[in-house]
């Protein structure tokens, strides 16, 4: 009952809380990894590709390769990496990209073996430049509203994923690109990244959740300033404002944020998957309501982990002084 109350309360007033910390540079071990690390293994399988082996980084104008999905294996099993791959269009959001991302998000939602998601770019120097304005210019006015609604629905579904989601921002994340990142639980930016909701420059407003998520992340007053002025900030400033959890010094390969995101996903991976999902649910719902209702939501989420085999495994591992092996059961 408490959980149902929490769900109904999602539309109530927001209590914005910001708790962030900045990192000045990437960790030495991660920074030393190969430049091609994030691209190895991305191979085309279907309209949404998955990791089946090892392949070289290749650019293509084939719309079927606009998005690539990599399922890591070995010790990283459970980590999924979505790579935006529209180099000629700066990863701008097109009809095709929206459809492919929606398909990928739906697949992840149905897969209980996925423990965390990283969204990154396969194009150096860019995360996502926002809407594909060339495609938008060719749309009839009657098409614009439905397209924006579909993009908004995609980003909402991304935000509703039950697993931890991390945006690795190694380049420009503007407009809709930043809205994608804002829908993620955690944002990691290189110090050279550029981030901003710049829609007012085009006499429009953020239309895929930016006006709602940015205030929840950095507070209403700062969000108004950035949106009204269409201001773009770098990764260091984004971290100071609370827009990014971490700012890392960019490396010569241009993938410092991705490497830090991978480190973080590896920290999350060994933890109890059901507990992580319930913790995310409790935080996301609780932050929108008053403290009393939030505590009721937490209690309801806690009740979901009590009967799990993972909880018993955690107790046994603690008693036996060994690492637990959680199965999500």
């Amino acid at each position: 009952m408490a959980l149902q109350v929490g769900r109904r309360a999602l539309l109530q007033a927001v209590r914005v809380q910001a708790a962030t910390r900045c990192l000045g540079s990437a960790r030495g071990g991660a920074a030393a990894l190969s430049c091609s690390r994030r691209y190895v293994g991305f191979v085309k399988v279907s309209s949404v590709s998955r990791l089946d082996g090892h392949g070289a980084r290749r650019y293509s104008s084939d719309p079927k390769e606009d998005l690539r999905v990599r399922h890591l294996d070995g010790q990283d099993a459970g980590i999924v990496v979505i790579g935006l791959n529209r180099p000629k269009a700066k990863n701008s959001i097109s009809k095709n990209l929206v459809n492919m991302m929606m398909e990928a998000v739906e697949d992840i939602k149905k897969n209980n073996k996925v423990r965390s998601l990283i969204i990154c770019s396969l194009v150096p120097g860019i995360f996502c430049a926002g809407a594909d304005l060339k495609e938008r210019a060719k749309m009839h006015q009657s098409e614009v509203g439905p397209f924006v609604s579909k993009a908004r629905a995609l980003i909402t579904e991304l935000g509703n994923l039950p697993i931890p989601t991390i945006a690795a921002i190694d380049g420009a994340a503007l407009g809709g690109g930043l809205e994608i990142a804002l829908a993620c639980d955690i944002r990691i930016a290189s110090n050279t990244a550029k981030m901003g909701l710049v829609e007012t420059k085009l006499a429009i407003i953020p239309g895929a959740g930016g006006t709602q998520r940015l205030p929840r992340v950095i507070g209403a007053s700062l969000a108004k300033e950035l949106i009204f002025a269409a201001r773009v900030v770098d990764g260091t400033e984004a971290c100071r404002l609370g827009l990014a959890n971490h700012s890392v010094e960019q490396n010569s390969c241009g993938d410092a944020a991705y490497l830090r995101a991978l480190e973080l996903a590896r920290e999350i991976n060994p933890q109890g998957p059901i507990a992580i999902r319930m913790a995310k649910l409790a935080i996301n719902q609780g932050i929108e309501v008053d403290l009393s209702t939030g505590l009721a939501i937490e209690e309801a989420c806690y009740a979901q982990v009590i009967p799990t085999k993972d909880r018993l495994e955690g107790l046994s591992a603690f008693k036996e002084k060994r690492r637990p092996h959680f199965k999500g059961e």
Side-chain angles (χ1 to χ4, degrees):
M1 176 63 71
L3 189 56
Q4 292 176 346
V5 171
R7 291 185 185 279
R8 290 197 299 268
L10 278 176
L11 298 179
Q12 293 180 10
V14 177
R15 293 184 61 192
V16 178
Q17 298 178 357
T20 60
R21 63 188 179 91
C22 303
L23 293 179
S25 60
R27 297 180 182 179
L33 293 176
S34 168
C35 296
S36 61
R37 171 99 185 203
R38 62 172 165 169
Y39 306 106
V40 174
F42 282 95
V43 292
K44 186 173 71 172
V45 175
S46 62
S47 59
V48 178
S49 58
R50 289 179 171 79
L51 178 65
D52 283 342
H54 297 280
R57 168 182 166 194
R58 300 189 308 274
Y59 289 153
S60 171
S61 59
D62 186 346
K64 293 182 179 180
E65 295 190 0
D66 284 356
L67 190 77
R68 301 185 187 182
V69 179
R70 179 184 178 192
H71 289 247
L72 305 191
D73 53 18
Q75 293 184 343
D76 290 337
I79 301 173
V80 176
V81 182
I82 288 182
L84 306 178
N85 188 46
R86 300 191 70 215
K88 294 182 179 179
K90 298 182 178 180
N91 288 341
S92 58
I93 302 170
S94 63
K95 290 180 179 180
N96 183 59
L97 187 61
V98 167
N99 290 335
M100 295 181 74
M101 286 192 71
M102 185 68 83
E103 180 184 341
V105 168
E106 287 297 319
D107 286 348
I108 290 169
K109 187 191 302 183
K110 297 174 184 176
N111 189 345
N112 290 329
K113 294 182 179 180
V114 177
R115 296 195 178 187
S116 60
L117 168 66
I118 298 172
I119 298 181
C120 69
S121 168
L122 303 185
V123 181
I126 191 75
F127 177 76
C128 174
D132 188 334
L133 296 182
K134 290 184 179 179
E135 182 182 77
R136 182 76 61 87
K138 297 177 182 178
M139 290 183 187
H140 188 273
Q141 186 172 339
S142 62
E143 298 178 278
V144 175
F147 171 74
V148 173
S149 294
K150 189 167 185 178
R152 185 185 300 115
L154 161 66
I155 294 175
T156 298
E157 286 301 302
L158 174 62
N160 288 338
L161 281 175
I163 58 170
T165 54
I166 307 169
I169 307 170
D170 275 306
L174 305 175
L178 182 54
E179 288 177 308
I180 290 173
L182 284 168
C184 294
D185 300 310
I186 297 166
R187 285 158 297 284
I188 298 176
S190 69
N191 61 333
T192 58
K194 302 297 181 183
M195 306 166 67
L197 296 177
V198 297
E199 284 85 351
T200 56
K201 285 186 176 182
L202 299 174
I204 57 175
I205 69 171
T211 63
Q212 302 305 304
R213 291 190 177 91
L214 186 61
R216 284 164 167 78
V217 171
I218 66 173
S221 183
L222 280 174
K224 289 175 181 177
E225 181 178 340
L226 295 185
I227 292 173
F228 295 169
R231 183 176 302 157
V232 175
V233 299
D234 63 21
T236 302
E237 179 69 2
C239 188
R240 189 188 69 81
L241 294 173
L243 178 53
N245 294 60
H246 308 288
S247 174
V248 293
E249 185 176 351
Q250 187 56 281
N251 57 34
S252 60
C253 307
D255 62 355
Y258 169 74
L259 294 178
R260 181 65 184 92
L262 186 57
E263 285 185 19
L264 180 55
R266 286 169 174 163
E267 288 184 61
I268 295 170
N269 219 27
Q271 316 313 323
I274 297 175
I276 293 293
R277 289 171 180 243
M278 288 298 102
K280 176 171 177 174
L281 183 63
I283 294 169
N284 283 358
Q285 294 192 355
I287 201 68
E288 302 285 356
V289 301
D290 61 273
L291 180 59
S292 178
T293 304
L295 291 171
I297 293 170
E298 180 185 83
E299 182 179 8
C301 289
Y302 195 100
Q304 299 299 311
V305 303
I306 292 176
T308 63
K309 294 180 181 179
D310 280 351
R311 186 183 72 87
L312 298 178
E313 164 63 13
L315 292 174
S316 296
F318 178 79
K319 182 179 179 180
E320 298 167 11
K321 298 182 179 180
R322 61 174 174 81
R323 292 185 62 180
H325 300 286
F326 298 122
K327 298 181 179 178
E329 300 175 354

